[in-house]
Amino acid sequence: EMMREITGISEMEHSLKKLLGVNKVVIVPGDSDETPLVKEEIGKATAEILSSCLGKENIIAVTGGTTMACTAEMLSSDIGEGRKLLFVPARGGIGEDVKNQANVICATMAEKTGGIHRVLYVPDEVGLEVYHSLLKEPAITEVLDMIKSANIVIHGIGDALTMAGRRRTNKTVMKKIIEENAVGEAFGYYFNENGEIVHKVPTIGMQISDLEDKPIVIAAAGGKSKAKAIRAYMKGAPKTTILITDEGAASEFLKGH
Ligand code: G3H
């Protein structure tokens, strides 16, 4: 705590919290763009926040991405003691590599905490016909109901172009994302600088509007390169959101404020 005072981290947290109008901001020292270890620290801080938010019975909706993968690695069995933890992927496949997929991350989270998880079996790209019949599958509707009733959401925020590139987005969509000046991404939604949705990856599961009635929302994203993305996403994000970020993103963000 002392170190945080000296380095001005507490002050930054306070300024950022005011600027974004959110519930709580946690900043870890360093810049995860430059130092991979810092992303692990974000994961650790996110795991701690998550554990402080847990009640007796919890349904936790989780997105994909490397920051969520880091968070999963930092969870341990003590947070699951005396509690029921159910991890569900927030949305269906959105083109990520397996290790960054919400399904896999949920499985790791359950394994680390002694909780359980569910898998949402939705391929990234299916025709409309298959898509509609999938929605009639009990194995899928059951998970969709769980996602609906999740009381905690934890998610990453990405830079729009980085995410679109990583997801091997097709040319037409790529063009749209560029033309509409998307800067941020979360849950498979792409946002412009005003926080407006300019593209949405078509898949099932949580919709951004579902966030509003979630009592606990935890967002984790760091690195100087994500400052714009975080700002854009946060414009429309629920004010109850707890943001875990790093000094790299925070100092870029606070420039000129
Ligand atoms: O869904 C992915 C997130 O938006 C960002 O992913 O944590 O790997 O940057 P990341």
Side-chain angles (χ1 to χ4, degrees):
E1 203 48 46
M2 179 94 153
M3 226 22 232
R4 295 163 76 81
E5 294 293 336
I6 294 167
T7 55
I9 293 256
S10 308
E11 209 180 305
M12 280 177 101
E13 286 173 343
H14 189 75
S15 313
L16 207 55
K17 187 177 123 136
K18 256 183 44 194
L19 200 67
L20 298 170
V22 293
N23 225 354
K24 188 179 167 79
V25 172
V26 176
I27 299 172
V28 305
D31 184 337
S32 49
D33 283 346
E34 282 159 24
T35 320
L37 212 72
V38 176
K39 196 178 271 185
E40 289 175 30
E41 289 299 321
I42 295 176
K44 203 167 145 196
T46 308
E48 276 164 20
I49 291 287
L50 173 65
S51 105
S52 73
C53 290
L54 295 171
K56 268 223 143 349
E57 292 190 15
N58 313 272
I59 304 180
I60 305 149
V62 185
T63 70
T66 56
T67 316
M68 284 302 109
C70 273
T71 302
E73 290 303 325
M74 296 301 169
L75 291 169
S76 56
S77 59
D78 48 307
I79 89 157
E81 265 165 39
R83 294 187 173 113
K84 279 188 179 160
L85 303 177
L86 166 61
F87 297 93
V88 288
R91 299 192 78 206
I94 44 179
E96 292 266 22
D97 273 348
V98 164
K99 64 179 188 312
N100 293 331
Q101 278 174 16
N103 278 331
V104 170
I105 294 169
C106 283
T108 307
M109 288 183 165
E111 193 187 301
K112 295 266 179 193
T113 58
I116 57 171
H117 75 101
R118 287 306 170 91
V119 175
L120 194 52
Y121 293 105
V122 191
D124 291 336
E125 277 176 59
V126 291
L128 222 52
E129 205 177 312
V130 174
Y131 186 83
H132 285 298
S133 44
L134 277 176
L135 285 177
K136 291 189 197 116
E137 273 304 315
I140 288 177
T141 53
E142 190 200 10
V143 181
L144 291 178
D145 287 343
M146 289 171 180
I147 295 169
K148 275 263 178 246
S149 52
N151 60 318
I152 302 178
V153 178
I154 47 173
H155 69 91
I157 304 167
D159 168 73
L161 293 182
T162 307
M163 293 313 298
R166 198 165 94 188
R167 289 172 177 156
R168 292 171 290 269
T169 308
N170 72 46
K171 274 206 180 100
T172 322
V173 173
M174 200 57 151
K175 196 163 170 264
K176 182 177 165 199
I177 287 171
I178 294 167
E179 278 174 3
E180 303 267 352
N181 301 310
V183 293
E185 182 279 343
F187 304 98
Y189 287 72
Y190 289 81
F191 305 87
N192 66 15
E193 249 171 333
N194 301 321
E196 293 153 352
I197 297 163
V198 297
H199 176 68
K200 173 186 164 191
V201 180
T203 185
I204 57 174
M206 228 185 71
Q207 307 302 307
I208 208 98
S209 55
D210 296 334
L211 268 187
E212 290 300 330
D213 31 75
K214 301 298 181 195
I216 299 158
V217 182
I218 304 168
K224 188 178 170 189
S225 64
K226 278 192 189 178
K228 261 196 183 151
I230 298 170
R231 182 177 341 179
Y233 168 73
M234 283 304 191
K235 288 219 165 125
K239 297 304 171 200
T240 49
T241 302
I242 301 172
L243 173 69
I244 296 101
T245 188
D246 64 14
E247 215 180 335
S251 56
E252 180 70 11
F253 207 112
L254 290 169
K255 258 186 201 163
H257 285 281

